[in-house]
Amino acid sequence: MDINFVIEKFILVTILFAISLVIAMYSTYAERKVAAFLQDRLGPDRAGPFGILQPLADGVKMFMKEEIVPATSNKWLFMVGPGLAMLCACIGTAVIPWGQDLTIGGKTVPLQVTDINVGVLYIFGVVSLGVYGVMIGGWASNNKYSLLSAIRAASQNISYEVAMGLSIIALLLVTNSLSLKEIVAQQHSWHWNVIYQPLGFIIFMVCSFAETNRAPFDLPECETELIGGYHTEYSSMKLGFYLFAEYINMFVSSTVMVTLYFGGYNYPGMDYIAAHWAPNAAVLFGTFIFFMKIFMFIFFFMWVRWTIPRFRYDQLMNLGWKGLIPLAIVNIIITGIWIALRQF
Amino acid sequence: MESLSNKKKVLEQKPLNLAERLYLPAIVKGLGTTMSHFFKKSATIRYPEVEREFSINWRGMHSLKRDEEGRERCTACGLCALSCPAEAITMIAAERKAEEKHLYREEKYAAVYEINMLRCIFCGLCEEACPKEAIYLDGPIVPSDYLRKDFIYGKDKLVEAPLETK
């Protein structure tokens, strides 16, 4: 392994990490602003122009708060919980292809940390690991509300992972590949997978709402029943990590949805741009388009949160097991028949 | 039995049909409703910079009035303190000296007059009780502060500015 490779990947990982954190930071701000606008209010506007420094103020507040560890908690796991939540949230971006290959000094630099051939499975693994942060934190708090919330989070994640996996199977029937780079490359120009898999996309989207514990499926942190949910006992930056991990998760799920269904860095008219612009500029413009799509999805996450009331627990389970899983299976069958017919 | 008022409404609980069970049509409708609010003018008033319009009988900070010759009207009778349901008003009376005739209208005046703005409920009973028309709640909103002691307003803050001598 030559040193250039290491440096190149190190830079890419650092940039991705920084981007994830900054987007998560400003998602908290955007969430409050979107909520405010949807409710005919103004939102935070005191810290800096238009309240743009609000995330910094919140961060400082989080760091300055007293850190309280409950006496009867499992100290070690209590500390591991938020760290694990944060770790799982951050490593998801490693397999996402952020753009086509750049050419710097005659060398091709892929805008992807690693193109493992089972990228989709990796994403799945990381997303399902994410629930461990919630579970461990909830259990280690030694508080009945936290425990109830952890149990809810675990069962919710397991239930929705099934439907999510089934919706992905239909997608894989179409793409014939598990590599995310390959999947994105196939969606050239406007051939986005959402056109071939509309039902699969809706199932996947609903499931990713549930997986990220976002409204209307935010039962693990439902204040009216469980105080703060799994982070009831957390304070200071440990609480900050949990809240932060939720926003990074939202960013990662938006990214995955764009990658799998909305063409990643592809956009109509990209051939024209590639022919007329400098090659690197065209690639970076594709990445820019990618981020715009991601921001649209993050906005959609927030828009939904401030529209739909929280599901009841039995409704959640009914929707998952009796609604989405049969639908996903039907989707697989339809896709299979369609692919079989296409080959004739 | 027949309802007498005829206002009673019996709600029927029908099982959800397929479209309702999918939630999606209702969700899309809801998303439309919230989005229509996104572009509406917000109802917020940025308070310290912008103040909302008050009604004419709005009660704000107290002011101790002067008469047409610029003398303080208050005679320290204590009726305002007595009428105050929150016991926010205290005062110490003093006798007017001969050379102070231009300062105080009555022979007795309030040497110290304090209102605790944290206790005050802005009911306006002091205004009603005052026989000398010396106190009115016609000021602005009482500003916020950091210390409790700073909310006890003395005569320096309450008494109206002296009249301009022409």
Side-chain angles (χ1 to χ4, degrees), chain A residues 8-331:
Chain A
E8 176 194 313
K9 292 302 178 195
F10 180 77
I11 293 173
L12 198 58
V13 168
T14 314
I15 292 174
L16 275 182
F17 188 60
I19 287 178
S20 308
L21 290 187
V22 169
I23 287 181
M25 241 169 90
Y26 274 91
S27 294
T28 62
Y29 168 72
E31 173 115 88
R32 294 167 67 177
K33 274 289 187 194
V34 168
F37 282 141
L38 291 178
Q39 296 167 351
D40 296 342
R41 295 185 286 117
L42 286 174
D45 70 337
R46 294 288 144 168
F50 305 105
I52 207 89
L53 299 176
Q54 190 65 38
L56 289 178
D58 286 341
V60 170
K61 185 200 80 176
M62 282 288 186
F63 273 112
M64 305 303 265
K65 288 274 176 182
E66 185 187 354
E67 199 164 328
I68 299 165
V69 179
T72 51
S73 67
N74 184 326
K75 304 255 163 13
W76 168 239
L77 288 181
F78 192 77
M79 267 172 26
V80 169
L84 198 60
M86 196 73 175
L87 174 78
C88 295
C90 285
I91 56 178
T93 49
V95 291
I96 305 289
W98 296 98
Q100 286 154 312
D101 295 345
L102 280 177
T103 316
I104 299 170
K107 219 172 141 294
T108 31
V109 180
L111 284 179
Q112 184 180 18
V113 177
T114 172
D115 176 29
I116 49 179
N117 54 11
V118 288
V120 177
L121 288 184
Y122 171 86
I123 291 277
F124 254 74
V126 170
V127 167
S128 39
L129 266 181
V131 75
Y132 277 93
V134 173
M135 273 170 71
I136 288 175
W139 185 80
S141 301
N142 204 1
N143 171 321
K144 56 186 135 184
Y145 295 110
S146 302
L147 183 63
L148 271 174
S149 156
I151 293 169
R152 278 186 180 190
S155 53
Q156 175 179 328
N157 268 269
I158 291 167
S159 310
Y160 278 78
E161 226 147 73
V162 180
M164 199 180 210
L166 290 174
S167 70
I168 284 283
I169 288 175
L171 180 75
L172 297 181
L173 286 174
V174 176
T175 60
N176 274 323
S177 169
L178 279 167
S179 152
L180 286 172
K181 190 167 196 158
E182 181 88 27
I183 291 175
V184 176
Q186 282 174 6
Q187 306 178 54
H188 191 74
S189 183
W190 53 269
H191 296 276
W192 298 353
N193 281 332
V194 68
I195 301 167
Y196 308 110
Q197 282 291 322
L199 184 60
F201 167 67
I202 290 172
I203 296 167
F204 188 86
M205 190 174 66
V206 173
C207 291
S208 46
F209 273 84
E211 296 270 305
T212 46
N213 293 333
R214 287 285 300 185
F217 306 117
D218 55 346
L219 288 123
E221 41 193 307
C222 126
E223 297 89 356
T224 41
E225 296 160 24
L226 297 175
I227 316 179
Y230 55 88
H231 50 59
T232 303
E233 297 287 357
Y234 281 91
S235 56
S236 184
M237 207 51 205
K238 286 201 191 105
L239 172 67
F241 264 30
Y242 269 129
L243 303 181
F244 224 67
E246 187 191 318
Y247 284 99
I248 299 180
N249 274 331
M250 199 164 92
F251 167 59
V252 174
S253 328
S254 305
T255 312
V256 172
M257 275 193 278
V258 173
T259 312
L260 292 180
Y261 289 97
F262 275 80
Y265 49 76
N266 295 300
Y267 52 95
M270 62 188 295
D271 289 326
Y272 177 83
I273 296 279
H276 289 77
W277 287 21
N280 280 350
V283 170
L284 288 178
F285 187 68
T287 309
F288 172 74
I289 295 280
F290 190 12
F291 274 100
M292 285 301 115
K293 290 180 193 170
I294 293 170
F295 293 150
M296 296 287 278
F297 266 99
I298 292 178
F299 174 75
F300 185 70
F301 265 90
M302 293 169 181
W303 183 12
V304 167
R305 172 168 178 188
W306 299 104
T307 302
I308 311 170
R310 186 180 294 128
F311 274 55
R312 218 168 48 213
Y313 200 68
D314 61 315
Q315 289 174 329
L316 174 90
M317 284 298 160
N318 272 338
L319 182 70
W321 290 100
K322 294 187 191 161
L324 293 178
I325 292 178
L327 259 183
I329 292 172
V330 167
N331 189 34

Side-chain angles (χ1 to χ4, degrees), chain B residues 79-136:
Chain B
L79 281 176
C80 50
L82 204 65
S83 70
C84 182
E87 300 198 359
I89 305 176
T90 55
M91 68 190 72
I92 296 171
E95 203 177 329
R96 183 183 68 183
K97 297 199 175 66
E99 69 271 19
E100 289 174 335
K101 260 193 171 162
H102 64 290
L103 288 176
Y104 307 107
R105 197 169 74 151
E106 312 291 339
E107 284 170 9
K108 191 177 133 207
Y109 72 95
V112 179
Y113 191 102
E114 282 178 351
I115 301 180
N116 187 338
M117 290 300 175
L118 291 176
R119 295 196 69 109
C120 177
I121 58 171
F122 301 93
C123 60
L125 285 184
C126 47
E127 188 178 294
E128 274 175 41
C130 186
K132 298 289 178 190
E133 297 185 343
I135 188 165
Y136 282 95

Side-chain angles (χ1 to χ4, degrees), chain B residues 1-140:
Chain B
M1 208 163 71
E2 189 75 19
S3 147
L4 285 178
S5 63
N6 231 6
K7 280 179 187 163
K8 190 165 73 179
K9 225 183 194 177
V10 181
L11 291 177
E12 260 182 273
Q13 205 175 21
K14 281 176 279 182
L16 303 178
N17 63 33
L18 182 73
E20 284 167 337
R21 250 182 300 147
L22 277 176
Y23 300 115
L24 284 179
I27 287 174
V28 170
K29 204 176 141 206
L31 289 174
T33 309
T34 43
M35 192 35 82
S36 74
H37 280 267
F38 195 87
F39 299 106
K40 267 189 198 158
K41 206 176 151 286
S42 89
T44 312
I45 296 164
R46 292 161 197 262
Y47 163 58
E49 294 97 50
V50 187
E51 262 185 23
R52 86 185 157 92
E53 218 175 290
F54 297 118
S55 73
I56 44 166
N57 56 352
W58 186 81
R59 296 190 292 264
M61 201 174 106
H62 317 65
S63 66
L64 291 173
K65 297 291 175 197
R66 292 172 189 275
D67 68 358
E68 51 283 346
E69 289 167 42
R71 301 176 296 185
E72 285 177 26
R73 303 180 76 107
C74 180
T75 183
C77 61
L79 281 176
C80 50
L82 204 65
S83 70
C84 182
E87 300 198 359
I89 305 176
T90 55
M91 68 190 72
I92 296 171
E95 203 177 329
R96 183 183 68 183
K97 297 199 175 66
E99 69 271 19
E100 289 174 335
K101 260 193 171 162
H102 64 290
L103 288 176
Y104 307 107
R105 197 169 74 151
E106 312 291 339
E107 284 170 9
K108 191 177 133 207
Y109 72 95
V112 179
Y113 191 102
E114 282 178 351
I115 301 180
N116 187 338
M117 290 300 175
L118 291 176
R119 295 196 69 109
C120 177
I121 58 171
F122 301 93
C123 60
L125 285 184
C126 47
E127 188 178 294
E128 274 175 41
C130 186
K132 298 289 178 190
E133 297 185 343
I135 188 165
Y136 282 95
L137 278 75
D138 56 357

